[in-house]
Amino acid sequence: GELLLCEASTVYKYIQEDGSNRGTYGKLVCTNFKIAFLDDDSTSNDNEPQFKNKIVGENDITLQCVDQIYGVYDEKKKLLTGQLRKYPEKLIIYCKDLRVFNFCLRYTKEEEVKRIVSGIVHHSQTPKLLKRLFLFSYASAAPNNTDGRNQTVMFDTLEDWRDELERTKGSVKYKAVTTNEGYRVSEKLPLYFVVPICVSEESILKYEGRGIPIWCWSCHNGAALLKMSAFPKEQDDSASQMQKAFLDGIYKTISKPPYELLKTDDLSSSLPSLQDIQTAYTRFKQLFLIDNSTDFWATDVKWFSLLESTNWLEIIRRVLRKAIEVAECLERQHTNVLLIEESATDLCCVISSLVQVMMDSYSRTKSGFQSLIQKEWVVGGHGFLDRCNHLHKSDKEEAPVFLLLLNCVWQLVQQYPPAFEFTETYLTVLSDSLYVPIFSTFFFNSQHQKDTNTSGEGFKTQSSPFRFLTVWDWSVQFDPKAQAFLNNPLYAEKPKPDKSQRKTTRFKHQRQLSLPLTQTKSSTKRGFFREETDHLIKNILGKRIGKFINSSDEPSNSFREFYDSWHSKPIDYHGLLLPCIDGPEIKVWAQRYLRWIPEAQLHGGGTIATTAKILDLMEEVQSLQVKMDEERSQAISGDIHSVPLLRNSARLSSLFPFALLQRQSIKPALPTSTWKDLEDEEDLVKRDDEFVDLCGDML
Amino acid sequence: MASSSTPKYNSNSLESSSSKRTLKDGTNWEQNEEIPRLPGETRVTDKDVIYMCPFNGPVKGRVYITNYRLYLRSVENDPVVVLNVPLGVISRIEKMGGASSRGENSYGLDITCKDMRNLRFALKQEGHSRRDIFEVLTKYAFPQSHNLLFFAFVNEEKFSENGWMVYNPMSEYRRQGLPNERWRVTFINEHYGLCDTYPSLLVVPYNATDDDLKKVAAFRSRNRIPVLSWFHPETQAVIMRCSQPLVGMSGKRNKDDERYLDIIREANGQISKLTIYDARPNVNAVANKATGGGYEGEDAYPNAELFFLDIHNIHVMRESLKKLKDIVYPNVEESHWLSSLESTHWLEHIKLVLTGAIQVADKVSSGRSSVLVHCSDGWDRTAQLTSLAMLMLDSYYRTIEGFEVLVQKEWISFGHKFASRIGHGDKNHADADRSPIFLQFIDCVWQMSKQFPTAFEFNEQFLITILDHLYSCRFGTFLYNSESAREKEKVTEKTLSLWSLINSEKSKYINPFYTKELNRALYPVASMRHLELWVNYYIRWNPRIRQQQPNPVEQRYMELLALRDDYIRRLEELQITNNSKIPNSSGSSASPSQMMSQVQTHF
């Protein structure tokens, strides 16, 4: 269903903006799907990359992936939007997956320049209708015969929800409801969802589902994670009185036994706003959209403070911290947690997903994680279309909420590699898939929107319903060999028989646990010394010791204790997993953000170096297994036929599997930036190592 | 010597397992079965104290002091809190509080350590327990100030390997292919007559006579003339090291020095210029003229190119580390971690040192020109640059033995002033000569090993062990300032080498991912995007900073290796049984399926 919209020939693409002006000539085309650069001598492409996306090539940019387009006029960069009067000599395209393309149009015919530049700007930067998305032309042109489910639970049927309730043992107190069939309650809510058993259908219908606790997940001890869409600020006093009464009623019913105590958390006040998140990310990504080498080294000097000033890592830290707090309530205090947000489809999704990833090892498998994304995000009604601003309708709605989740999950993946079935590469390609409009997964705001647009109504050329692809069918983007990079060789799989055993015992325990329990043992450890210490602190060591001893009266004490006590125990990769949130532990997701920057490349280094060794060894062990089986079954001949191991002897780049394959010289990258002054240490700087008057030596 | 309540998961404790517990003298020590002691270690005193643990609050315990260590064991905590601190790491002991304070345990002791931590104890007033401990600690922690021997001289440990045999300068130069027709070995410094801070054996250009060397020595600070550090087997280019020329305010010249540098330039058979890297910032090099030093001017050395590498002096580095300690100990700075880290400049200094070393290495390997490196005296920044450049160029130095040789050669034999920089056994904690130059070098090595996890034979524990014994004074390796001083004190006869300990249990220090690659230059990326704070060293005392030990990636690899070896063994067995046509027994056929379940392959 791809249509050519405009093209231009003899465009010069710089390989790398390092001032060397190296590059290749080719054709720049723009279709209703992507902007693509077609190399003139495509025959020279002899080194096929090991990891290739079948849909989006190295020189392809899907229209949704375009972030910003700049034109260069007389060495000056200018943002291109809307109508253009003058046409630039150079075009710089910044992509949402952080690639940067430099095209020189100096050798292109003027007419073609006009057409291609305005074409690209128009198709990628101006508002468009939902139905004009490539998704629809693709779905009508390319029959979808694949079964994209591959073990991912889609949560579009009542059965799926019931199974999930069964799986988490939540069916005793929660039920899946059909109240929203035909979207009677709300277009924002999914067709089926789960609420506490005691909540009546009338109350669900009363405020279009607002004020109703919706079930996300049940913890092994019976405590549940719930979310609720808050009431909008009501001007009318009596209306707000009624809402308040309604809420009080709801709270009352669900905090009585058999339900656990309820703790509510209004995320709109306890976490940064969507606006903050958007601002932070906009600044953050700018640090990685680097024009040239000079830029790279110039920003290197102040790198840490630049990173900090974006606030992005701090937001990740706060979100992780909030998720730990919620986990503490569920796990240790056995209380239900109700997350509240205006629509319950943004930060609620982030926190509820994170909590499940941390507490439910199923969510750390590939299918489990995909099911989680379906449950909380896709069916849960996260507004992907608006948040990604795919249609360029309103910049105000844009916020990288889903990316925030992936960034947080990445922190866990890099801190506890054996706990996840998937790799960071999986997360990276998943984030890239946000901008590939052949999958329906990330291109609707809600299940309702998808349903109404699938039917073909109002789209006259099409009579049969569309069959969209889901992103979870990874074979659409990657062949099996490339898909192997999505699976984590370090994953410590749960031994199967043990698993079933533990589950049954757990179930028995759970009954007891769901009864109101007495408080967890209080720590009296410090009591004995308390008095003595207090004297010491106050009288002798004064304020200085305050820094050395943690005050035990902070409000966040139970959080700290929970966090510390978990961290003092050995890790169970199949159990509860808490992220480390101390400053040095929160890192930049280098693979996603640095992958296109040649200066950041380590030849033969990076974590891929060790991973490659593990993969090699696994291959060897496998071939030995095969050999052994052969020996065993034949048990006759003694001749050994060695299985040749196809090993990639070439050194991999640390940016693998994303590095643009350029056989660069092994010249080391040298910082070009200059040392900044140590203003505050002027006197020290001027000194010599050891002051000795050498003049005397010469005598 | 984990200070946390979970010593089991804090692996970075100074190893003590090798010690045989020979409790010779009786008394109450025998009741405390698990107090580690080295042969030659003797008890001095023990006292009840309260250890003011910055992480777990006050801990009641008993402290034992020997001539080597301070050992604390808690009496009530579960799990038991243990401190095991060699006295050598102590930099400063201060009394806090006292008679004027109220409370039972009002007598405090604050011990500042060289390894990024402080220890605080509170003691009772009765029996002058604080005074006793203070005096004992002061005496044994600072033996140099009390006319006592370093523990290294009374240590009676026995090891299966002799670390003093690791470095033999002659065989190291032979390994490099020296001497040859352009470079010769000279014994002019055999009795340290030419230069008392240089080793006795030196490699110099074939065309320079010993007489020339003496004349050059007069023009180089502390007689540290340009001598060879490393020879590139392909380009024939060399890395030379020396101290600054004595140019002075008047801009003195020395014909012999100028001619000597020209001989060096010509020795690689190329016509290119000689590249001189002055490690200092330009302004400092200029300022040095005032005290008689300076740098090679263009007029005097027309065939040389001079570059300044802008690495700061030892005082700046010391202050930088002090600031780093402030933000990581005892608590990691909560808010604004990144800007706090930046404001310490520690990683910026690391970046500059690495950048300098990359330039040196790159020049020698691709620029085809020989390189001369110096700073002021040529024993701090110069040692950092030459040794790092050698590490980048020569894969031998990336092995355990090779790295020991590198440290022994570029640092110990060429007179890095370990005694002054570390202040071994010296009570003068504020001495301006102290500076973490060697630590900074090890940090650079760690950064490289982090960027290239398969390129080094040794692991992180190896580097941490070296740093721990840099301070411990258990071995003679890092004692004293120069080879001549070590010879005078008969260090190799009377003490043990750190390499004896390490080489006797090498498996502990092996990086399983090491892949031998010959002749491969290894250039790290000296960008802040890749440089990291070495958390497992600088923040290792904090139990909140989780150290996953063993590293899960490593563990997985080891499992696979064991599995592979097991398969190979079984396969061989099978082939033997198949060859002798004996049918399989039922017992062995069950095991492979068990093995299978352990491998989770994803292909």
Side-chain angles (χ1 to χ4, degrees), chain B residues 175-196:
Chain B
R175 188 193 65 83
Q176 292 188 22
L178 300 167
N180 60 17
E181 69 280 2
R182 292 176 195 278
W183 298 93
R184 68 183 182 97
V185 170
T186 171
F187 296 96
I188 185 176
N189 202 35
E190 202 177 349
H191 303 293
Y192 310 104
L194 178 77
C195 170
D196 61 354

PDB file of all heavy atoms in Angstrom, chain B residues 175-196:
ATOM      1  N   ARG B 175      62.167  -9.141  26.118  1.00  0.00           N
ATOM      2  CA  ARG B 175      60.836  -9.431  25.577  1.00  0.00           C
ATOM      3  C   ARG B 175      60.461  -8.388  24.522  1.00  0.00           C
ATOM      4  O   ARG B 175      59.830  -8.678  23.516  1.00  0.00           O
ATOM      5  CB  ARG B 175      59.810  -9.417  26.716  1.00  0.00           C
ATOM      6  CG  ARG B 175      58.403  -9.883  26.330  1.00  0.00           C
ATOM      7  CD  ARG B 175      57.384  -9.556  27.403  1.00  0.00           C
ATOM      8  NE  ARG B 175      57.198  -8.128  27.579  1.00  0.00           N
ATOM      9  CZ  ARG B 175      56.409  -7.366  26.830  1.00  0.00           C
ATOM     10  NH1 ARG B 175      55.708  -7.898  25.866  1.00  0.00           N
ATOM     11  NH2 ARG B 175      56.324  -6.061  27.037  1.00  0.00           N
ATOM     12  N   GLN B 176      60.861  -7.144  24.783  1.00  0.00           N
ATOM     13  CA  GLN B 176      60.570  -6.060  23.832  1.00  0.00           C
ATOM     14  C   GLN B 176      61.500  -6.098  22.621  1.00  0.00           C
ATOM     15  O   GLN B 176      61.353  -5.296  21.707  1.00  0.00           O
ATOM     16  CB  GLN B 176      60.725  -4.702  24.530  1.00  0.00           C
ATOM     17  CG  GLN B 176      59.676  -4.428  25.588  1.00  0.00           C
ATOM     18  CD  GLN B 176      59.782  -2.993  26.103  1.00  0.00           C
ATOM     19  OE1 GLN B 176      60.320  -2.105  25.447  1.00  0.00           O
ATOM     20  NE2 GLN B 176      59.266  -2.757  27.297  1.00  0.00           N
ATOM     21  N   GLY B 177      62.452  -7.005  22.628  1.00  0.00           N
ATOM     22  CA  GLY B 177      63.380  -7.097  21.507  1.00  0.00           C
ATOM     23  C   GLY B 177      64.606  -6.209  21.681  1.00  0.00           C
ATOM     24  O   GLY B 177      65.231  -5.799  20.709  1.00  0.00           O
ATOM     25  N   LEU B 178      64.918  -5.904  22.916  1.00  0.00           N
ATOM     26  CA  LEU B 178      66.042  -5.013  23.193  1.00  0.00           C
ATOM     27  C   LEU B 178      67.094  -5.757  24.027  1.00  0.00           C
ATOM     28  O   LEU B 178      66.745  -6.680  24.760  1.00  0.00           O
ATOM     29  CB  LEU B 178      65.559  -3.788  23.972  1.00  0.00           C
ATOM     30  CG  LEU B 178      64.503  -2.950  23.262  1.00  0.00           C
ATOM     31  CD1 LEU B 178      63.866  -1.964  24.224  1.00  0.00           C
ATOM     32  CD2 LEU B 178      65.108  -2.216  22.061  1.00  0.00           C
ATOM     33  N   PRO B 179      68.339  -5.410  23.966  1.00  0.00           N
ATOM     34  CA  PRO B 179      68.901  -4.361  23.110  1.00  0.00           C
ATOM     35  C   PRO B 179      68.958  -4.802  21.647  1.00  0.00           C
ATOM     36  O   PRO B 179      68.934  -5.988  21.349  1.00  0.00           O
ATOM     37  CB  PRO B 179      70.305  -4.177  23.687  1.00  0.00           C
ATOM     38  CG  PRO B 179      70.625  -5.485  24.324  1.00  0.00           C
ATOM     39  CD  PRO B 179      69.335  -6.024  24.834  1.00  0.00           C
ATOM     40  N   ASN B 180      69.077  -3.813  20.774  1.00  0.00           N
ATOM     41  CA  ASN B 180      69.271  -4.103  19.349  1.00  0.00           C
ATOM     42  C   ASN B 180      70.294  -3.128  18.791  1.00  0.00           C
ATOM     43  O   ASN B 180      70.983  -2.457  19.552  1.00  0.00           O
ATOM     44  CB  ASN B 180      67.929  -4.042  18.610  1.00  0.00           C
ATOM     45  CG  ASN B 180      67.265  -2.674  18.700  1.00  0.00           C
ATOM     46  OD1 ASN B 180      67.930  -1.679  19.044  1.00  0.00           O
ATOM     47  ND2 ASN B 180      65.984  -2.615  18.405  1.00  0.00           N
ATOM     48  N   GLU B 181      70.352  -3.028  17.478  1.00  0.00           N
ATOM     49  CA  GLU B 181      71.436  -2.204  16.899  1.00  0.00           C
ATOM     50  C   GLU B 181      71.252  -0.710  17.155  1.00  0.00           C
ATOM     51  O   GLU B 181      72.161   0.072  16.972  1.00  0.00           O
ATOM     52  CB  GLU B 181      71.590  -2.498  15.404  1.00  0.00           C
ATOM     53  CG  GLU B 181      70.464  -2.045  14.496  1.00  0.00           C
ATOM     54  CD  GLU B 181      69.266  -2.996  14.521  1.00  0.00           C
ATOM     55  OE1 GLU B 181      69.306  -4.005  15.291  1.00  0.00           O
ATOM     56  OE2 GLU B 181      68.289  -2.755  13.807  1.00  0.00           O
ATOM     57  N   ARG B 182      70.069  -0.296  17.616  1.00  0.00           N
ATOM     58  CA  ARG B 182      69.849   1.133  17.869  1.00  0.00           C
ATOM     59  C   ARG B 182      69.743   1.461  19.354  1.00  0.00           C
ATOM     60  O   ARG B 182      69.833   2.607  19.748  1.00  0.00           O
ATOM     61  CB  ARG B 182      68.575   1.600  17.168  1.00  0.00           C
ATOM     62  CG  ARG B 182      68.682   1.598  15.663  1.00  0.00           C
ATOM     63  CD  ARG B 182      67.346   1.971  15.037  1.00  0.00           C
ATOM     64  NE  ARG B 182      67.302   1.648  13.626  1.00  0.00           N
ATOM     65  CZ  ARG B 182      67.814   2.430  12.679  1.00  0.00           C
ATOM     66  NH1 ARG B 182      68.386   3.559  13.008  1.00  0.00           N
ATOM     67  NH2 ARG B 182      67.738   2.071  11.413  1.00  0.00           N
ATOM     68  N   TRP B 183      69.460   0.466  20.169  1.00  0.00           N
ATOM     69  CA  TRP B 183      69.262   0.715  21.599  1.00  0.00           C
ATOM     70  C   TRP B 183      70.140  -0.207  22.422  1.00  0.00           C
ATOM     71  O   TRP B 183      70.252  -1.392  22.134  1.00  0.00           O
ATOM     72  CB  TRP B 183      67.788   0.506  21.968  1.00  0.00           C
ATOM     73  CG  TRP B 183      66.904   1.471  21.244  1.00  0.00           C
ATOM     74  CD1 TRP B 183      66.278   1.261  20.064  1.00  0.00           C
ATOM     75  CD2 TRP B 183      66.621   2.812  21.638  1.00  0.00           C
ATOM     76  NE1 TRP B 183      65.605   2.390  19.677  1.00  0.00           N
ATOM     77  CE2 TRP B 183      65.792   3.372  20.631  1.00  0.00           C
ATOM     78  CE3 TRP B 183      66.987   3.606  22.733  1.00  0.00           C
ATOM     79  CZ2 TRP B 183      65.329   4.680  20.684  1.00  0.00           C
ATOM     80  CZ3 TRP B 183      66.516   4.896  22.801  1.00  0.00           C
ATOM     81  CH2 TRP B 183      65.698   5.422  21.782  1.00  0.00           C
ATOM     82  N   ARG B 184      70.740   0.349  23.453  1.00  0.00           N
ATOM     83  CA  ARG B 184      71.638  -0.457  24.272  1.00  0.00           C
ATOM     84  C   ARG B 184      71.257  -0.376  25.742  1.00  0.00           C
ATOM     85  O   ARG B 184      70.557   0.548  26.169  1.00  0.00           O
ATOM     86  CB  ARG B 184      73.085  -0.002  24.081  1.00  0.00           C
ATOM     87  CG  ARG B 184      73.353   1.386  24.638  1.00  0.00           C
ATOM     88  CD  ARG B 184      74.784   1.829  24.359  1.00  0.00           C
ATOM     89  NE  ARG B 184      75.022   3.157  24.944  1.00  0.00           N
ATOM     90  CZ  ARG B 184      75.591   3.355  26.127  1.00  0.00           C
ATOM     91  NH1 ARG B 184      75.990   2.351  26.858  1.00  0.00           N
ATOM     92  NH2 ARG B 184      75.759   4.584  26.592  1.00  0.00           N
ATOM     93  N   VAL B 185      71.719  -1.370  26.487  1.00  0.00           N
ATOM     94  CA  VAL B 185      71.513  -1.373  27.931  1.00  0.00           C
ATOM     95  C   VAL B 185      72.737  -0.742  28.569  1.00  0.00           C
ATOM     96  O   VAL B 185      73.864  -1.043  28.175  1.00  0.00           O
ATOM     97  CB  VAL B 185      71.340  -2.818  28.431  1.00  0.00           C
ATOM     98  CG1 VAL B 185      71.370  -2.862  29.950  1.00  0.00           C
ATOM     99  CG2 VAL B 185      70.030  -3.405  27.915  1.00  0.00           C
ATOM    100  N   THR B 186      72.513   0.156  29.517  1.00  0.00           N
ATOM    101  CA  THR B 186      73.668   0.734  30.194  1.00  0.00           C
ATOM    102  C   THR B 186      73.600   0.479  31.695  1.00  0.00           C
ATOM    103  O   THR B 186      72.519   0.452  32.286  1.00  0.00           O
ATOM    104  CB  THR B 186      73.791   2.256  29.939  1.00  0.00           C
ATOM    105  OG1 THR B 186      74.818   2.767  30.801  1.00  0.00           O
ATOM    106  CG2 THR B 186      72.495   2.977  30.274  1.00  0.00           C
ATOM    107  N   PHE B 187      74.751   0.253  32.276  1.00  0.00           N
ATOM    108  CA  PHE B 187      74.839   0.014  33.725  1.00  0.00           C
ATOM    109  C   PHE B 187      75.433   1.229  34.436  1.00  0.00           C
ATOM    110  O   PHE B 187      75.908   1.124  35.546  1.00  0.00           O
ATOM    111  CB  PHE B 187      75.681  -1.233  34.009  1.00  0.00           C
ATOM    112  CG  PHE B 187      75.049  -2.480  33.465  1.00  0.00           C
ATOM    113  CD1 PHE B 187      75.409  -2.988  32.220  1.00  0.00           C
ATOM    114  CD2 PHE B 187      74.058  -3.133  34.181  1.00  0.00           C
ATOM    115  CE1 PHE B 187      74.809  -4.124  31.713  1.00  0.00           C
ATOM    116  CE2 PHE B 187      73.452  -4.285  33.678  1.00  0.00           C
ATOM    117  CZ  PHE B 187      73.823  -4.778  32.446  1.00  0.00           C
ATOM    118  N   ILE B 188      75.366   2.353  33.758  1.00  0.00           N
ATOM    119  CA  ILE B 188      75.966   3.575  34.304  1.00  0.00           C
ATOM    120  C   ILE B 188      75.369   3.927  35.673  1.00  0.00           C
ATOM    121  O   ILE B 188      76.019   4.497  36.532  1.00  0.00           O
ATOM    122  CB  ILE B 188      75.799   4.754  33.309  1.00  0.00           C
ATOM    123  CG1 ILE B 188      76.520   5.996  33.824  1.00  0.00           C
ATOM    124  CG2 ILE B 188      74.338   5.051  33.058  1.00  0.00           C
ATOM    125  CD1 ILE B 188      76.495   7.170  32.874  1.00  0.00           C
ATOM    126  N   ASN B 189      74.122   3.495  35.885  1.00  0.00           N
ATOM    127  CA  ASN B 189      73.446   3.852  37.140  1.00  0.00           C
ATOM    128  C   ASN B 189      73.457   2.693  38.138  1.00  0.00           C
ATOM    129  O   ASN B 189      72.630   2.634  39.038  1.00  0.00           O
ATOM    130  CB  ASN B 189      72.002   4.277  36.830  1.00  0.00           C
ATOM    131  CG  ASN B 189      71.411   5.143  37.934  1.00  0.00           C
ATOM    132  OD1 ASN B 189      72.129   5.937  38.551  1.00  0.00           O
ATOM    133  ND2 ASN B 189      70.128   4.976  38.198  1.00  0.00           N
ATOM    134  N   GLU B 190      74.388   1.774  37.969  1.00  0.00           N
ATOM    135  CA  GLU B 190      74.396   0.566  38.787  1.00  0.00           C
ATOM    136  C   GLU B 190      74.365   0.872  40.281  1.00  0.00           C
ATOM    137  O   GLU B 190      73.667   0.218  41.047  1.00  0.00           O
ATOM    138  CB  GLU B 190      75.620  -0.276  38.464  1.00  0.00           C
ATOM    139  CG  GLU B 190      75.403  -1.714  38.861  1.00  0.00           C
ATOM    140  CD  GLU B 190      76.580  -2.591  38.488  1.00  0.00           C
ATOM    141  OE1 GLU B 190      77.475  -2.120  37.741  1.00  0.00           O
ATOM    142  OE2 GLU B 190      76.604  -3.738  38.949  1.00  0.00           O
ATOM    143  N   HIS B 191      75.124   1.863  40.675  1.00  0.00           N
ATOM    144  CA  HIS B 191      75.132   2.225  42.104  1.00  0.00           C
ATOM    145  C   HIS B 191      74.397   3.533  42.335  1.00  0.00           C
ATOM    146  O   HIS B 191      74.669   4.244  43.285  1.00  0.00           O
ATOM    147  CB  HIS B 191      76.569   2.283  42.618  1.00  0.00           C
ATOM    148  CG  HIS B 191      77.283   0.986  42.405  1.00  0.00           C
ATOM    149  ND1 HIS B 191      76.935  -0.160  43.070  1.00  0.00           N
ATOM    150  CD2 HIS B 191      78.285   0.641  41.551  1.00  0.00           C
ATOM    151  CE1 HIS B 191      77.696  -1.170  42.649  1.00  0.00           C
ATOM    152  NE2 HIS B 191      78.520  -0.703  41.728  1.00  0.00           N
ATOM    153  N   TYR B 192      73.485   3.810  41.434  1.00  0.00           N
ATOM    154  CA  TYR B 192      72.638   5.004  41.513  1.00  0.00           C
ATOM    155  C   TYR B 192      73.463   6.286  41.540  1.00  0.00           C
ATOM    156  O   TYR B 192      73.092   7.270  42.153  1.00  0.00           O
ATOM    157  CB  TYR B 192      71.681   4.905  42.712  1.00  0.00           C
ATOM    158  CG  TYR B 192      70.947   3.586  42.721  1.00  0.00           C
ATOM    159  CD1 TYR B 192      71.304   2.572  43.605  1.00  0.00           C
ATOM    160  CD2 TYR B 192      69.949   3.341  41.785  1.00  0.00           C
ATOM    161  CE1 TYR B 192      70.673   1.339  43.570  1.00  0.00           C
ATOM    162  CE2 TYR B 192      69.310   2.108  41.738  1.00  0.00           C
ATOM    163  CZ  TYR B 192      69.674   1.105  42.631  1.00  0.00           C
ATOM    164  OH  TYR B 192      69.052  -0.112  42.583  1.00  0.00           O
ATOM    165  N   GLY B 193      74.577   6.218  40.854  1.00  0.00           N
ATOM    166  CA  GLY B 193      75.465   7.373  40.814  1.00  0.00           C
ATOM    167  C   GLY B 193      74.986   8.439  39.858  1.00  0.00           C
ATOM    168  O   GLY B 193      75.151   9.640  40.109  1.00  0.00           O
ATOM    169  N   LEU B 194      74.366   8.025  38.761  1.00  0.00           N
ATOM    170  CA  LEU B 194      73.892   9.016  37.791  1.00  0.00           C
ATOM    171  C   LEU B 194      72.611   9.670  38.304  1.00  0.00           C
ATOM    172  O   LEU B 194      72.465  10.889  38.275  1.00  0.00           O
ATOM    173  CB  LEU B 194      73.614   8.332  36.449  1.00  0.00           C
ATOM    174  CG  LEU B 194      73.060   9.224  35.340  1.00  0.00           C
ATOM    175  CD1 LEU B 194      74.173  10.074  34.729  1.00  0.00           C
ATOM    176  CD2 LEU B 194      72.376   8.403  34.255  1.00  0.00           C
ATOM    177  N   CYS B 195      71.694   8.838  38.789  1.00  0.00           N
ATOM    178  CA  CYS B 195      70.397   9.342  39.231  1.00  0.00           C
ATOM    179  C   CYS B 195      69.880   8.440  40.339  1.00  0.00           C
ATOM    180  O   CYS B 195      69.678   7.243  40.115  1.00  0.00           O
ATOM    181  CB  CYS B 195      69.427   9.349  38.046  1.00  0.00           C
ATOM    182  SG  CYS B 195      67.730   9.687  38.517  1.00  0.00           S
ATOM    183  N   ASP B 196      69.680   8.985  41.513  1.00  0.00           N
ATOM    184  CA  ASP B 196      69.335   8.119  42.647  1.00  0.00           C
ATOM    185  C   ASP B 196      67.862   7.730  42.691  1.00  0.00           C
ATOM    186  O   ASP B 196      67.449   6.968  43.551  1.00  0.00           O
ATOM    187  CB  ASP B 196      69.774   8.749  43.975  1.00  0.00           C
ATOM    188  CG  ASP B 196      69.076  10.079  44.217  1.00  0.00           C
ATOM    189  OD1 ASP B 196      68.357  10.557  43.309  1.00  0.00           O
ATOM    190  OD2 ASP B 196      69.240  10.646  45.316  1.00  0.00           O
TER     191      ASP B 196
END
